[in-house]
Amino acid sequence: MIRIIDYKAGNAPSVMSSVRHLGFNAEYARSAQELSDATCVILPGVGSAKATMESLKAMNILTQLEKAVLKEKVLFLGVCVGMQILFEHSEEEKTEGLGWFKGRVVKFDPAKVRVPQMGWNKVKFIKNTPVPTEDVNNAHFYYVNSYHAVVDDSADLWGVSDYNGELTACVQRDNIYAIQFHAEISGEIGLKLIKNFLDTGVKIC
Amino acid sequence: MLTKRLIACFDIINDRVTKNVKFQGEPVDIAAADTLAATMYASQIDELMLCDINAGNEKRGINLNIIKKVAAHVFIPFGVGGGISGISSMFDALKSGAEKISLDSLAVRNPEIISEGAKAFGAQCIVLHIRAKKNDLMPSGYEVYTDGAKTPTNLDVITWAIKGESLGAGEICVTSIDREGTFQGYDICLMKKIESAVRTPLIACGGAGKPEHLLELFTKTQVQAAIISSMLYSPLLKENYTVKSLKQFLSENGVPMRL
């Protein structure tokens, strides 16, 4: 079962709508119990890193999530803030993240760029993973973010964009995928990437 | 680098997109909102804005049904406005599939709604929509109007934009009341004043009648997005344009677009 984690501040409905539109069966996970049958987990995100961490803690879902993703290697996709909290630390309200990826999340400098970054930006996929990206490489995806991730290990970088300098667009390690942009509202290209991701899960599971 | 964005704004009455035609009484019916949204989506529109224009007058909440219908058809961001009264109606709209909430008169009457919304759902959710009209007595030369551009507020447009940004608005949309419906182009002077006062992304609205107006906006200002509706479907314009043809024109003239 594909499980989409639903916490109040996230945009789980948009993610659910795109996944179901692609013809996949998916259900929300609002508790640890509902995560236990997951063969694929999507963690959507909008809003702040701190609020997201607090919501996940309040749902008592984190232990089960880490068991599934880190031990059982269930396929995982984090989106936007759902990617940012995978890092060790976010500058946003000094929030400790899950630390699945080494690195930190920092704010764009408003003296240099408009903040938030809002709109369509080109994503260049720079490493081969089991999720194919040939048909979406160098296409535009929709971003909304004031903070961005800086990876410690460049081997984790899956794709990059340019926003007054190189920007971490997405990261990947083993079964863990995470995207800063919102594929679920990036038009047909975004749907294609989600399909490529979910198809990979179907093959594995 | 970000592309510039074209946003179609739908004035919705009873699930139908309408077009208010200046000096001509009743609004003209254009199409069913979900159908037109799907058409625009297929034509590469970057974003949609749905305005439930009678919700305020009819003292009811926003039409959630139409938000759900549109969300089922389009996989690009869309914002909604009209009939938003507080955090719980924002939550209902977002849960129904909207990505952004446009705040206009409500924010002028109760500025705290901006920070409450930004805190609850993130700044990216909150679009502050400012309707500006020329007034030489204002320091910036522009005054904020509310209630569908009917009521002057004695509030300076720049003061309000700065306050809106500091309260947490993630985006500011500025409509020029003077230009709306004139097809004479965006108010470049107004947009330049706003862009130097705030750092949030800006959307310009009001006055576009031909592709050159978009080119002028995107080359003379840093504004990232433009609202177009008349150009796409107004019966008052001799020629309507497709989103694709507009993007093609802009791209050929050096404006970064998502094609």
Side-chain angles (χ1 to χ4, degrees):
Chain A
M1 174 66 76
I2 297 166
R3 286 286 185 178
I4 298 170
I5 298 179
D6 180 26
Y7 52 97
K8 205 180 172 186
N11 66 336
S14 299
V15 175
M16 179 62 89
S17 162
S18 64
V19 169
R20 287 189 175 158
H21 175 78
L22 288 166
F24 292 90
N25 279 325
E27 294 295 336
Y28 290 119
R30 298 183 173 106
S31 65
Q33 172 64 28
E34 288 177 342
L35 211 51
S36 58
D37 63 355
T39 52
C40 172
V41 177
I42 303 180
L43 178 62
V46 290
S48 80
K50 188 167 195 175
T52 300
M53 282 303 290
E54 281 171 0
S55 298
L56 294 174
K57 280 177 192 161
M59 287 165 79
N60 280 319
I61 207 169
L62 286 173
T63 311
Q64 178 65 31
L65 179 67
E66 296 206 312
K67 181 173 163 245
V69 177
L70 302 180
K71 284 206 184 113
E72 293 158 13
K73 304 286 180 190
V74 166
L75 190 65
F76 176 90
L77 179 69
V79 181
C80 194
V81 176
M83 163 174 130
Q84 294 181 357
I85 61 154
L86 306 184
F87 285 83
E88 294 162 299
H89 181 81
S90 171
E91 259 183 17
E92 189 174 23
E93 301 173 275
K94 295 193 171 60
T95 305
E96 292 309 310
L98 297 174
W100 297 359
F101 287 97
K102 299 279 176 217
R104 63 213 161 84
V105 175
V106 298
K107 191 167 187 182
F108 285 121
D109 181 356
K112 291 182 182 151
V113 289
R114 297 225 165 232
V115 181
Q117 169 185 219
M118 188 170 299
W120 300 81
N121 205 339
K122 215 175 252 187
V123 175
K124 190 175 156 195
F125 289 90
I126 59 168
K127 92 166 161 179
N128 286 324
T129 74
V131 175
T133 48
E134 293 80 11
D135 52 354
V136 296
N137 196 19
N138 288 315
H140 289 98
F141 289 84
Y142 190 83
Y143 278 94
V144 188
N145 59 315
S146 299
Y147 294 81
H148 63 103
V150 180
V151 297
D152 277 0
D153 184 354
S154 60
D156 290 338
L157 265 187
W158 182 23
V160 293
S161 290
D162 177 15
Y163 195 52
N164 192 49
E166 190 177 279
L167 164 74
T168 302
C170 42
V171 290
Q172 181 268 344
R173 202 182 59 245
D174 305 328
N175 55 319
I176 308 171
Y177 293 76
I179 56 181
Q180 176 60 64
F181 50 85
H182 287 276
E184 73 281 8
I185 47 169
S186 291
E188 295 300 307
I189 286 288
L191 293 177
K192 216 173 258 179
L193 179 64
I194 295 173
K195 184 175 186 316
N196 290 351
F197 171 78
L198 294 174
D199 281 345
T200 307
V202 171
K203 272 181 219 148
I204 293 171
C205 303
Chain B
M1 182 169 55
L2 288 183
T3 66
K4 301 290 184 177
R5 285 175 287 147
L6 299 184
I7 304 174
C9 183
F10 295 170
D11 288 344
I12 296 177
I13 301 176
N14 300 329
D15 292 5
R16 306 282 301 177
V17 177
T18 63
K19 189 72 203 156
N20 207 0
V21 181
K22 244 185 186 175
F23 318 117
Q24 283 198 11
E26 288 297 300
V28 179
D29 182 76
I30 305 290
D34 54 340
T35 311
L36 192 58
T39 308
M40 292 289 152
Y41 174 67
S43 180
Q44 292 287 84
I45 196 81
D46 294 309
E47 199 166 322
L48 294 172
M49 184 65 83
L50 314 182
C51 299
D52 186 346
I53 56 175
N54 286 342
N57 288 340
E58 293 169 5
K59 301 204 186 312
R60 58 170 172 80
I62 192 162
N63 180 343
L64 295 175
N65 191 37
I66 197 66
I67 299 177
K68 287 178 192 160
K69 275 193 195 169
V70 169
H73 289 294
V74 310
F75 299 94
I76 50 170
F78 69 94
V80 296
I84 298 291
S85 51
I87 293 296
S88 80
S89 59
M90 289 185 198
F91 180 61
D92 291 341
L94 297 172
K95 213 177 148 197
S96 301
E99 296 292 332
K100 302 179 184 185
I101 306 288
S102 171
L103 295 173
D104 179 350
S105 309
L106 175 68
V108 175
R109 284 191 283 270
N110 173 23
E112 297 308 316
I113 193 74
I114 299 174
S115 43
E116 287 167 18
K119 193 159 181 278
F121 311 112
Q124 83 293 333
C125 258
I126 308 298
V127 183
L128 175 61
H129 191 169
I130 302 179
R131 292 180 202 273
K133 195 172 179 353
K134 276 190 181 152
N135 178 350
D136 290 339
L137 298 175
M138 291 285 141
S140 72
Y142 293 92
E143 182 176 6
V144 177
Y145 273 63
T146 55
D147 306 317
K150 287 189 201 89
T151 317
T153 61
N154 201 31
L155 184 59
D156 186 88
V157 163
I158 298 298
T159 313
W160 181 223
I162 292 171
K163 184 164 182 196
E165 177 179 53
S166 72
L167 286 169
E171 207 171 9
I172 297 177
C173 176
V174 185
T175 293
S176 161
I177 296 170
D178 308 291
R179 292 296 177 95
E180 220 175 11
T182 64
F183 309 131
Q184 288 176 350
Y186 295 96
D187 188 336
I188 301 294
C189 169
L190 168 64
M191 295 316 297
K192 287 202 81 70
K193 283 187 179 181
I194 306 254
E195 77 179 18
S196 56
V198 297
R199 291 302 292 162
T200 47
L202 299 176
I203 307 170
C205 178
K210 53 182 184 180
E212 287 76 10
H213 292 148
L214 288 165
L215 184 60
E216 182 188 30
L217 176 74
F218 289 141
T219 47
K220 289 190 177 166
T221 75
Q222 299 171 21
V223 171
Q224 293 184 336
I227 286 186
I228 45 170
S229 7
S230 296
M231 278 208 279
L232 300 174
Y233 50 73
S234 172
L236 275 193
L237 273 177
K238 274 194 204 124
E239 188 183 354
N240 288 142
Y241 301 87
T242 64
V243 178
K244 272 187 180 148
S245 70
L246 292 171
K247 285 187 157 187
Q248 201 64 43
F249 167 81
L250 290 165
S251 176
E252 280 162 12
N253 284 281
V255 178
M257 303 299 299
R258 178 182 71 110
L259 296 171

